[in-house]
Amino acid sequence: MLAVSLAVAYVPTLLGLSAAPALARMQPDDRTVVDGLVFGALLFLFADFMSLTANLGVGAADLIWRGALLASFAGGLVVFAGLERLGGAAPARLAVWWAVGVGLHSLAEGIVVGHNLTLGLAQALRPLAVLSFVLHKVVEGLSVAVLMARGQRTGLPLQVMLASVAALPLAVGALLGAVRPAGAASSIFYALGAGSVAFILPAFAASRSRHPAAWTAAGAAGFLFVAVAALLHEL
């Protein structure tokens, strides 16, 4: 489980984070395009999280269960907004909070991965599905790197720490998913992750006013890139 987690989650996330020093050297106007790319990619992931929240949940038609999912989504949004208020909105702190949000999503994914591994390696590690997963983890790492670059905190120790926070929960989730089917638990963590995406999206929208056309075009490209990566998972 740990080896799979390192290969498909931790390494790609760290690869995305490794862009932080280069991003820090860019002029703010040049980073507008990167902000747009990340916004578009995260917007697709937000929609995907919400879909997975509903589709994986056991008893999703039940009113109480729907309430629990809504409460989880709202909880993710409120908790991260509270952390920002208490700890300040400095970009380096936002990078930490967002890495925690990605970790919640990784935990949900891990539960699904662990269950799939019980069905056999051939099912769980289909080449196109693995490629899709790796691309999506690189994007998540890049999104954290953008916030690190804004705060000019881009050292390798911080990259390693945030990659651990964002990616290693997948190993915990995989262990849970291997023990028993846990669709309900996975849905709760997907809902929390969706709340954290809703919290962080405005951080990548703020630069749109500098170059609206370039930001919008980059956002569309980021959305399409992650959408195509998601389609690979279905092939």
Side-chain angles (χ1 to χ4, degrees):
M1 296 290 183
L2 184 58
V4 171
S5 302
L6 288 172
V8 303
Y10 185 83
V11 173
T13 302
L14 185 58
L15 180 62
L17 278 160
S18 70
L23 292 170
R25 292 191 294 270
M26 295 173 68
Q27 295 299 316
D29 284 353
D30 296 331
R31 285 205 296 264
T32 297
V33 172
V34 181
D35 283 353
L37 280 167
V38 171
F39 182 91
L42 292 183
L43 187 62
F44 181 89
L45 290 179
F46 173 76
D48 192 41
F49 293 175
M50 295 301 290
S51 173
L52 288 167
T53 294
N55 291 339
L56 290 176
V58 175
D62 183 85
L63 184 61
I64 295 176
W65 175 245
R66 287 175 181 264
L69 292 177
L70 283 172
S72 298
F73 170 77
L77 180 58
V78 169
V79 166
F80 283 96
L83 287 171
E84 179 189 29
R85 185 175 179 83
L86 290 173
R93 290 184 184 274
L94 280 179
V96 175
W97 305 145
W98 175 228
V100 173
V102 174
L104 289 171
H105 170 220
S106 293
L107 184 59
E109 289 177 320
I111 292 172
V112 177
V113 168
H115 175 66
N116 287 343
L117 284 172
T118 64
L119 304 178
L121 287 177
Q123 170 68 22
L125 301 179
R126 292 178 294 112
L128 288 179
V130 170
L131 176 60
S132 170
F133 193 82
V134 165
L135 290 174
H136 137 218
K137 284 300 174 187
V138 171
V139 168
E140 288 180 347
L142 178 64
S143 67
V144 178
V146 170
L147 299 175
M148 292 171 64
R150 288 183 192 173
Q152 299 295 314
R153 299 285 299 277
T154 62
L156 182 59
L158 184 58
Q159 292 178 37
V160 171
M161 184 194 81
L162 293 183
S164 300
V165 171
L168 290 185
L170 187 137
V172 178
L175 291 172
L176 292 173
V179 171
R180 53 169 294 182
S186 182
S187 288
I188 290 293
F189 287 115
Y190 271 122
L192 286 167
S196 70
V197 177
F199 156 75
I200 205 65
L201 274 173
F204 298 101
S207 64
R208 182 181 181 278
S209 58
R210 294 196 195 106
H211 300 289
W215 184 94
T216 302
F223 188 94
L224 287 173
F225 176 82
V226 181
V228 170
L231 284 175
L232 292 177
H233 192 275
E234 304 302 320
L235 297 179

